[in-house]
Amino acid sequence: DTFAVGEKVFFKVSDLPIEGVIEAVNLRTTLVRAPTGELCVVPNGEIRALRNFSRGRFSPANVTLTLRSADLARALPILDDLGREAADTLPELLEPWQIISESGVLGLETSLTLVAKARFGTGADLRPRLLALVHERLGAEGLMAVA
């Protein structure tokens, strides 16, 4: 399950570099179409390590908010739950967001970043929806982000 038909990959077979798009996979071999047009027939038993250029790509859809530090203990579980809910309901969101404090500074206000991974190319469209979702949920709980 490390690669599938249509994905771009790179690997070495007997010190021969092979890069291209997977055209077919069967029990014994994998067929890779090189950028120059050659069809490479690769024995599956010879594949030791590979780079798959088609997987793991995402667009950032990070959201930064500032809360009163006094509200932090109440806000964190709400944001955690909302991150899981958002990942279940928004198909563009690949996983629940991670909550971080980039500066680690605690004063009257604390800045948090919701590190969100969106499907490749959808981050810019997803970010305003996440902002609205966070604003709505925090408001419903009597918490407000500060400017």
Side-chain angles (χ1 to χ4, degrees):
D1 193 31
T2 55
F3 54 84
V5 172
E7 294 182 328
K8 181 182 176 189
V9 297
F10 171 88
F11 43 79
K12 285 187 177 182
V13 176
S14 302
D15 290 332
L16 175 67
I18 297 177
E19 180 176 347
V21 176
I22 304 289
E23 286 197 356
V25 179
N26 61 47
L27 289 175
R28 293 190 181 144
T29 60
T30 297
L31 304 180
V32 180
R33 182 70 63 183
T36 53
E38 300 98 357
L39 182 64
C40 303
V41 179
V42 181
N44 291 336
E46 298 293 320
I47 301 171
R48 300 285 179 246
L50 71 98
R51 287 189 291 175
N52 188 331
F53 297 100
S54 299
R55 294 195 185 177
R57 293 171 34 146
F58 65 90
S59 294
N62 300 346
V63 170
T64 301
L65 63 145
T66 303
L67 297 169
R68 292 179 342 135
S69 294
D71 293 337
L72 199 55
R74 262 184 57 217
L76 287 174
I78 293 167
L79 292 170
D80 272 335
D81 290 344
L82 184 57
R84 286 189 292 278
E85 289 174 30
D88 289 340
T89 58
L90 299 170
E92 299 90 349
L93 190 60
L94 297 175
E95 59 190 33
W97 55 60
Q98 179 183 9
I99 303 169
I100 66 168
S101 171
E102 291 186 41
S103 69
V105 174
L106 184 63
L108 293 176
E109 298 172 348
T110 300
S111 274
L112 299 176
T113 300
L114 309 178
V115 179
K117 294 180 180 178
R119 293 199 186 287
F120 187 70
T122 65
D125 294 332
L126 182 60
R127 190 174 296 112
R129 293 174 37 210
L130 293 179
L131 283 166
L133 191 66
V134 169
H135 182 74
E136 179 183 359
R137 180 63 58 90
L138 290 178
E141 297 291 335
L143 300 168
M144 298 301 287
V146 295

